Amino acid sequence: MTPTITAFERSPDRGKGLARDMRVRWALEEVGQPYGVRLVSFAAMKEPAHRALHPFGQIPTYEEGDLVLFESGAIVFHIAERHAGLFPDDANARARAVTWMFAALNTVEPPIVERASATLVERDHAWYEERLPILDGRVRHRLDELSSRLGDADWLDDAFSAGDLLMVTVLRRLNGSGILEEYPTLSAYVARGEARPAYQRAFDAQLAVFTGNPPAGRSSHPASR
Ligand SMILES: N[C@@H](CCC(=O)N[C@@H](CS)C(=O)NCC(=O)O)C(=O)O
């Protein structure tokens, strides 16, 4: 059954791969699963019809028959469980991949999102200039630790996994901050993720929503709510 995901009708990042449907698109592309996309406006996301799918009124969601999921991490986990390509076969290696998924979303993403939110909505406050270096410091702290662990490896635990997929998308949220560039090994890690054909297909599909030129082969439905 072809799943349908939701994505921004008009993404604030102008379709540059930062909205979290990118994670889901990338995962689906990695495993070769075709998917449909229903685009939603900011207003529609807060309507009851969308909240029935996503209690917090956000994207992405994932519908597959009777199954409705929200939370990008849970959706990627579901895709990785149902298809080959995102989890290693070995049970312990798979458990470590899951650990990296949680680390990406629970340990690395929070300071990055906190910083990004501050730059968007706290700029006009008198204390912003004092707060930003504190937030930068929290991000750097995590990147110091992550780059130490990654070392010269290509991926976090041997082969590319759903853990890397989420970590790369999380680190990409630093685009424009200049911080990631301070970490050459992490920058190279993100570039490796971005160079994967599946990533590129997902990126092109997300960007096409913004430009209005969907690539061939995608079934992209207009917003219905
Ligand atoms: N933890 C959620 C976060 C979802 C989220 O923040 N979605 C954003 C787009 S990337 C959104 O819908 N923002 C609009 C809003 O919150 O009104 C996930 O990973 O799926």
Side-chain angles (χ1 to χ4, degrees), residues 16 29-30 40 42-43 65-66 80 82 88 98 107 111 113 117 125 133-134 141 146 168 182 185 187 190 198 213 221:
K16 296 291 171 54
E29 293 287 354
E30 286 284 348
V40 287
F42 273 88
D66 292 343
R82 297 290 167 96
V98 173
T107 301
V113 168
S117 306
H125 291 283
I134 296 170
H141 180 66
L146 185 65
V168 166
E182 297 168 19
T185 55
S187 296
V190 170
N213 296 312
H221 310 291

mmCIF file of all heavy atoms in Angstrom, residues 16 29-30 40 42-43 65-66 80 82 88 98 107 111 113 117 125 133-134 141 146 168 182 185 187 190 198 213 221:
data_model
loop_
_atom_site.group_PDB
_atom_site.id
_atom_site.type_symbol
_atom_site.label_atom_id
_atom_site.label_comp_id
_atom_site.label_asym_id
_atom_site.label_seq_id
_atom_site.Cartn_x
_atom_site.Cartn_y
_atom_site.Cartn_z
ATOM 1 N N LYS A 16 14.198 23.959 1.292
ATOM 2 C CA LYS A 16 15.625 23.621 1.304
ATOM 3 C C LYS A 16 15.965 22.425 2.199
ATOM 4 O O LYS A 16 17.079 22.287 2.680
ATOM 5 C CB LYS A 16 16.440 24.846 1.732
ATOM 6 C CG LYS A 16 16.354 26.016 0.771
ATOM 7 C CD LYS A 16 17.074 25.680 -0.550
ATOM 8 C CE LYS A 16 16.844 26.712 -1.643
ATOM 9 N NZ LYS A 16 17.174 28.081 -1.270
ATOM 10 N N GLU A 29 12.774 7.076 0.219
ATOM 11 C CA GLU A 29 13.630 6.945 -0.974
ATOM 12 C C GLU A 29 14.721 5.908 -0.754
ATOM 13 O O GLU A 29 15.050 5.143 -1.659
ATOM 14 C CB GLU A 29 14.257 8.305 -1.335
ATOM 15 C CG GLU A 29 13.274 9.357 -1.813
ATOM 16 C CD GLU A 29 12.738 9.088 -3.216
ATOM 17 O OE1 GLU A 29 13.214 8.136 -3.871
ATOM 18 O OE2 GLU A 29 11.827 9.821 -3.645
ATOM 19 N N GLU A 30 15.306 5.877 0.455
ATOM 20 C CA GLU A 30 16.373 4.894 0.730
ATOM 21 C C GLU A 30 15.868 3.467 0.554
ATOM 22 O O GLU A 30 16.604 2.602 0.085
ATOM 23 C CB GLU A 30 16.923 5.063 2.158
ATOM 24 C CG GLU A 30 17.813 6.273 2.367
ATOM 25 C CD GLU A 30 19.221 6.121 1.790
ATOM 26 O OE1 GLU A 30 19.615 5.001 1.406
ATOM 27 O OE2 GLU A 30 19.924 7.150 1.719
ATOM 28 N N VAL A 40 -0.260 20.752 3.172
ATOM 29 C CA VAL A 40 -1.167 21.437 4.094
ATOM 30 C C VAL A 40 -0.662 22.846 4.390
ATOM 31 O O VAL A 40 0.543 23.085 4.495
ATOM 32 C CB VAL A 40 -1.350 20.647 5.423
ATOM 33 C CG1 VAL A 40 -2.202 19.421 5.213
ATOM 34 C CG2 VAL A 40 -0.028 20.252 6.030
ATOM 35 N N PHE A 42 -0.543 26.317 6.889
ATOM 36 C CA PHE A 42 -0.403 26.497 8.350
ATOM 37 C C PHE A 42 -1.771 26.495 9.013
ATOM 38 O O PHE A 42 -1.940 25.921 10.087
ATOM 39 C CB PHE A 42 0.355 27.784 8.668
ATOM 40 C CG PHE A 42 1.843 27.576 8.675
ATOM 41 C CD1 PHE A 42 2.585 27.697 7.513
ATOM 42 C CD2 PHE A 42 2.487 27.233 9.855
ATOM 43 C CE1 PHE A 42 3.954 27.479 7.523
ATOM 44 C CE2 PHE A 42 3.855 27.009 9.871
ATOM 45 C CZ PHE A 42 4.593 27.139 8.706
ATOM 46 N N ALA A 43 -2.746 27.110 8.358
ATOM 47 C CA ALA A 43 -4.088 27.161 8.943
ATOM 48 C C ALA A 43 -4.693 25.759 8.995
ATOM 49 O O ALA A 43 -5.256 25.345 10.016
ATOM 50 C CB ALA A 43 -4.976 28.096 8.131
ATOM 51 N N GLY A 65 -2.951 2.770 4.906
ATOM 52 C CA GLY A 65 -4.129 1.991 5.273
ATOM 53 C C GLY A 65 -4.742 2.562 6.542
ATOM 54 O O GLY A 65 -5.011 3.758 6.638
ATOM 55 N N ASP A 66 -4.932 1.690 7.532
ATOM 56 C CA ASP A 66 -5.526 2.118 8.804
ATOM 57 C C ASP A 66 -4.520 2.789 9.722
ATOM 58 O O ASP A 66 -4.898 3.324 10.769
ATOM 59 C CB ASP A 66 -6.077 0.897 9.567
ATOM 60 C CG ASP A 66 -7.275 0.305 8.859
ATOM 61 O OD1 ASP A 66 -7.847 1.012 8.014
ATOM 62 O OD2 ASP A 66 -7.602 -0.859 9.141
ATOM 63 N N ALA A 80 11.933 1.929 8.627
ATOM 64 C CA ALA A 80 13.146 1.110 8.764
ATOM 65 C C ALA A 80 12.809 -0.315 9.214
ATOM 66 O O ALA A 80 13.490 -1.266 8.838
ATOM 67 C CB ALA A 80 14.107 1.762 9.758
ATOM 68 N N ARG A 82 9.946 -1.907 8.511
ATOM 69 C CA ARG A 82 9.158 -2.624 7.497
ATOM 70 C C ARG A 82 9.915 -2.925 6.216
ATOM 71 O O ARG A 82 9.468 -3.716 5.411
ATOM 72 C CB ARG A 82 7.909 -1.800 7.142
ATOM 73 C CG ARG A 82 6.953 -1.596 8.283
ATOM 74 C CD ARG A 82 6.257 -2.911 8.664
ATOM 75 N NE ARG A 82 5.560 -2.803 9.933
ATOM 76 C CZ ARG A 82 4.273 -2.542 10.082
ATOM 77 N NH1 ARG A 82 3.519 -2.374 9.022
ATOM 78 N NH2 ARG A 82 3.738 -2.450 11.281
ATOM 79 N N PRO A 88 20.650 -2.376 10.182
ATOM 80 C CA PRO A 88 21.501 -3.538 9.906
ATOM 81 C C PRO A 88 20.781 -4.836 10.284
ATOM 82 O O PRO A 88 19.841 -4.815 11.090
ATOM 83 C CB PRO A 88 22.727 -3.319 10.804
ATOM 84 C CG PRO A 88 22.448 -2.149 11.662
ATOM 85 C CD PRO A 88 21.141 -1.541 11.280
ATOM 86 N N VAL A 98 19.172 2.260 16.498
ATOM 87 C CA VAL A 98 18.024 2.880 17.181
ATOM 88 C C VAL A 98 18.529 3.872 18.229
ATOM 89 O O VAL A 98 17.974 4.970 18.402
ATOM 90 C CB VAL A 98 17.122 1.800 17.826
ATOM 91 C CG1 VAL A 98 16.033 2.434 18.670
ATOM 92 C CG2 VAL A 98 16.514 0.903 16.749
ATOM 93 N N THR A 107 19.099 14.251 22.016
ATOM 94 C CA THR A 107 20.297 14.840 22.621
ATOM 95 C C THR A 107 20.911 15.932 21.742
ATOM 96 O O THR A 107 21.340 16.963 22.247
ATOM 97 C CB THR A 107 21.342 13.729 22.902
ATOM 98 O OG1 THR A 107 20.754 12.774 23.779
ATOM 99 C CG2 THR A 107 22.600 14.288 23.545
ATOM 100 N N PRO A 111 19.315 21.326 21.493
ATOM 101 C CA PRO A 111 20.030 22.614 21.521
ATOM 102 C C PRO A 111 20.062 23.313 20.157
ATOM 103 O O PRO A 111 20.086 24.556 20.086
ATOM 104 C CB PRO A 111 21.445 22.243 22.000
ATOM 105 C CG PRO A 111 21.573 20.772 21.793
ATOM 106 C CD PRO A 111 20.194 20.202 21.871
ATOM 107 N N VAL A 113 17.623 23.198 17.851
ATOM 108 C CA VAL A 113 16.305 23.811 17.637
ATOM 109 C C VAL A 113 16.127 25.024 18.552
ATOM 110 O O VAL A 113 15.579 26.055 18.144
ATOM 111 C CB VAL A 113 15.189 22.769 17.867
ATOM 112 C CG1 VAL A 113 13.827 23.425 17.939
ATOM 113 C CG2 VAL A 113 15.206 21.748 16.745
ATOM 114 N N SER A 117 15.261 28.585 17.087
ATOM 115 C CA SER A 117 14.045 29.295 17.493
ATOM 116 C C SER A 117 14.394 30.679 18.023
ATOM 117 O O SER A 117 13.700 31.659 17.727
ATOM 118 C CB SER A 117 13.308 28.540 18.603
ATOM 119 O OG SER A 117 13.065 27.247 18.207
ATOM 120 N N HIS A 125 14.444 41.004 21.514
ATOM 121 C CA HIS A 125 14.539 41.184 22.959
ATOM 122 C C HIS A 125 15.908 41.747 23.336
ATOM 123 O O HIS A 125 16.932 41.409 22.716
ATOM 124 C CB HIS A 125 14.319 39.860 23.684
ATOM 125 C CG HIS A 125 12.903 39.364 23.583
ATOM 126 N ND1 HIS A 125 11.881 39.899 24.335
ATOM 127 C CD2 HIS A 125 12.335 38.408 22.803
ATOM 128 C CE1 HIS A 125 10.747 39.280 24.030
ATOM 129 N NE2 HIS A 125 10.987 38.383 23.091
ATOM 130 N N PRO A 133 25.178 33.641 22.571
ATOM 131 C CA PRO A 133 26.426 32.888 22.811
ATOM 132 C C PRO A 133 26.230 31.696 23.752
ATOM 133 O O PRO A 133 26.922 30.677 23.618
ATOM 134 C CB PRO A 133 27.357 33.932 23.468
ATOM 135 C CG PRO A 133 26.776 35.252 23.108
ATOM 136 C CD PRO A 133 25.303 35.053 22.940
ATOM 137 N N ILE A 134 25.275 31.804 24.658
ATOM 138 C CA ILE A 134 24.996 30.669 25.553
ATOM 139 C C ILE A 134 24.428 29.506 24.741
ATOM 140 O O ILE A 134 24.848 28.353 24.885
ATOM 141 C CB ILE A 134 24.002 31.093 26.665
ATOM 142 C CG1 ILE A 134 24.639 32.167 27.541
ATOM 143 C CG2 ILE A 134 23.558 29.888 27.487
ATOM 144 C CD1 ILE A 134 23.675 32.827 28.519
ATOM 145 N N HIS A 141 28.986 22.298 22.404
ATOM 146 C CA HIS A 141 29.264 21.229 23.368
ATOM 147 C C HIS A 141 28.868 19.870 22.774
ATOM 148 O O HIS A 141 29.651 18.911 22.800
ATOM 149 C CB HIS A 141 28.478 21.527 24.650
ATOM 150 C CG HIS A 141 28.674 20.522 25.731
ATOM 151 N ND1 HIS A 141 29.887 20.331 26.357
ATOM 152 C CD2 HIS A 141 27.818 19.630 26.282
ATOM 153 C CE1 HIS A 141 29.771 19.372 27.248
ATOM 154 N NE2 HIS A 141 28.522 18.924 27.233
ATOM 155 N N LEU A 146 30.027 14.809 19.592
ATOM 156 C CA LEU A 146 29.649 13.996 18.432
ATOM 157 C C LEU A 146 30.838 13.813 17.491
ATOM 158 O O LEU A 146 31.085 12.709 16.991
ATOM 159 C CB LEU A 146 28.473 14.650 17.698
ATOM 160 C CG LEU A 146 27.898 13.858 16.531
ATOM 161 C CD1 LEU A 146 27.267 12.541 17.014
ATOM 162 C CD2 LEU A 146 26.856 14.687 15.775
ATOM 163 N N VAL A 168 22.016 13.388 10.282
ATOM 164 C CA VAL A 168 22.362 14.326 9.194
ATOM 165 C C VAL A 168 21.283 15.413 9.065
ATOM 166 O O VAL A 168 21.591 16.606 8.946
ATOM 167 C CB VAL A 168 22.571 13.555 7.857
ATOM 168 C CG1 VAL A 168 22.585 14.518 6.676
ATOM 169 C CG2 VAL A 168 23.862 12.753 7.909
ATOM 170 N N GLU A 182 32.729 24.785 11.685
ATOM 171 C CA GLU A 182 33.852 24.700 12.633
ATOM 172 C C GLU A 182 34.279 23.252 12.853
ATOM 173 O O GLU A 182 35.291 23.000 13.501
ATOM 174 C CB GLU A 182 33.444 25.311 13.985
ATOM 175 C CG GLU A 182 33.116 26.785 13.917
ATOM 176 C CD GLU A 182 32.447 27.288 15.199
ATOM 177 O OE1 GLU A 182 32.558 26.618 16.256
ATOM 178 O OE2 GLU A 182 31.805 28.355 15.145
ATOM 179 N N THR A 185 34.958 17.344 10.266
ATOM 180 C CA THR A 185 34.534 15.947 10.117
ATOM 181 C C THR A 185 33.003 15.851 10.096
ATOM 182 O O THR A 185 32.441 15.028 9.379
ATOM 183 C CB THR A 185 35.090 15.039 11.240
ATOM 184 O OG1 THR A 185 34.715 15.599 12.501
ATOM 185 C CG2 THR A 185 36.596 14.910 11.150
ATOM 186 N N SER A 187 31.009 18.310 9.055
ATOM 187 C CA SER A 187 30.587 18.882 7.762
ATOM 188 C C SER A 187 30.703 17.826 6.664
ATOM 189 O O SER A 187 29.818 17.696 5.804
ATOM 190 C CB SER A 187 31.464 20.079 7.376
ATOM 191 O OG SER A 187 31.311 21.106 8.303
ATOM 192 N N VAL A 190 27.872 15.288 7.011
ATOM 193 C CA VAL A 190 26.613 15.792 6.447
ATOM 194 C C VAL A 190 26.687 15.744 4.911
ATOM 195 O O VAL A 190 25.724 15.318 4.253
ATOM 196 C CB VAL A 190 26.317 17.221 6.957
ATOM 197 C CG1 VAL A 190 25.160 17.850 6.188
ATOM 198 C CG2 VAL A 190 26.016 17.191 8.450
ATOM 199 N N ALA A 198 19.410 8.800 -2.707
ATOM 200 C CA ALA A 198 18.076 8.850 -2.081
ATOM 201 C C ALA A 198 17.841 10.216 -1.432
ATOM 202 O O ALA A 198 16.728 10.757 -1.490
ATOM 203 C CB ALA A 198 17.941 7.740 -1.036
ATOM 204 N N ASN A 213 7.321 22.751 -9.409
ATOM 205 C CA ASN A 213 7.651 21.823 -10.492
ATOM 206 C C ASN A 213 7.937 20.431 -9.949
ATOM 207 O O ASN A 213 9.095 20.026 -9.845
ATOM 208 C CB ASN A 213 8.897 22.303 -11.252
ATOM 209 C CG ASN A 213 8.657 23.610 -11.942
ATOM 210 O OD1 ASN A 213 7.650 23.769 -12.614
ATOM 211 N ND2 ASN A 213 9.574 24.535 -11.753
ATOM 212 N N HIS A 221 -0.444 15.398 -4.071
ATOM 213 C CA HIS A 221 -1.827 15.845 -4.091
ATOM 214 C C HIS A 221 -1.918 17.249 -3.511
ATOM 215 O O HIS A 221 -1.249 17.553 -2.542
ATOM 216 C CB HIS A 221 -2.690 14.902 -3.272
ATOM 217 C CG HIS A 221 -2.493 13.479 -3.636
ATOM 218 N ND1 HIS A 221 -2.893 12.972 -4.829
ATOM 219 C CD2 HIS A 221 -1.907 12.472 -2.966
ATOM 220 C CE1 HIS A 221 -2.571 11.679 -4.883
ATOM 221 N NE2 HIS A 221 -1.963 11.359 -3.772
#
